Structures are given as C-alpha cells and as structure tokens.
Amino acid sequence: MISKKLSIAIPTYNRLVYLKECINSILNQTFQDFSIFIFDNASREPIEKELNQFNDKRIHFIGSNKNMPQAENFKRIEKYPFKSEYLIVFHDD
C-alpha cells in the first residue's frame, strides 16, 4: 500500500548541523506529500533527539547500533521497505 508519493532517504553520520539544514530545506518545499527517513550510521551526536525537535510525523529515524562502512549504510536504504511511489536519496550536506 502506498502511503506517500515520495520517500526521501538521508544517510548520515556525525553531521547534525548539516542534517538539520537539509531537513529544513525539504520541509520548506511547496510539495508536501513525502516522508523523510534518516539512516543514521551510529553517530555520536544526538541525531534522534534532535529529529524529535522537528515534531513532524513525516520524519523517521532509522538508527544503527554500530558504525559500518558508508556503502553498508546505503545498502540499508536499498533494502528498506518504503511505502511510496518514488524514492530519492539526499545527502545530509
């Protein structure tokens, strides 16, 4: 079942300042039929806590309990069961 037109996947690791700017930019678009999925690669920064500050149900945190090579974090995106018609991968910067 499709729930949103677009899923936006953002892989991140210890780049909280850039990530917040990226999310703000996405949220300020005129098109609003999307969900944002943050694939955190075991950052030492409080990514999930900061995402909660947005108070937006379209933002989803997908964490990891161990750091992995960047390519492995991208593989998590490839395997994730998005429920949208389209998928785009943004970078946190």
Side-chain angles (χ1 to χ4, degrees):
M1 179 174 99
I2 294 176
S3 62
K4 295 286 185 185
K5 186 78 165 176
L6 177 66
S7 289
I8 302 167
I10 306 173
T12 193
Y13 176 68
N14 286 337
R15 295 169 63 107
L16 183 57
V17 171
Y18 294 115
L19 177 62
K20 288 168 53 174
E21 287 180 21
C22 177
I23 292 170
N24 277 318
S25 177
I26 294 167
L27 294 174
N28 286 321
Q29 300 301 309
T30 56
F31 179 81
Q32 293 289 305
D33 190 15
F34 60 79
S35 291
I36 302 172
F37 297 84
I38 308 302
F39 286 81
D40 181 49
N41 195 0
S43 293
R44 293 180 303 276
E45 298 176 319
I47 303 293
E48 186 174 19
K49 178 183 174 189
E50 290 295 321
L51 293 177
N52 289 335
Q53 298 297 318
F54 283 97
N55 197 27
D56 193 313
K57 293 182 189 264
R58 295 174 297 176
I59 300 173
H60 308 278
F61 177 78
I62 314 296
S64 175
N65 56 3
K66 67 176 182 117
N67 185 262
M68 62 193 84
Q70 184 180 23
E72 293 298 315
N73 201 24
F74 276 93
K75 285 181 184 176
R76 291 193 316 149
I77 293 171
E78 291 173 358
K79 294 177 182 177
Y80 194 82
F82 297 101
K83 295 179 179 165
S84 62
E85 190 171 346
Y86 299 102
L87 168 66
I88 188 168
V89 178
F90 276 26
H91 294 276
D92 56 7
D93 63 349

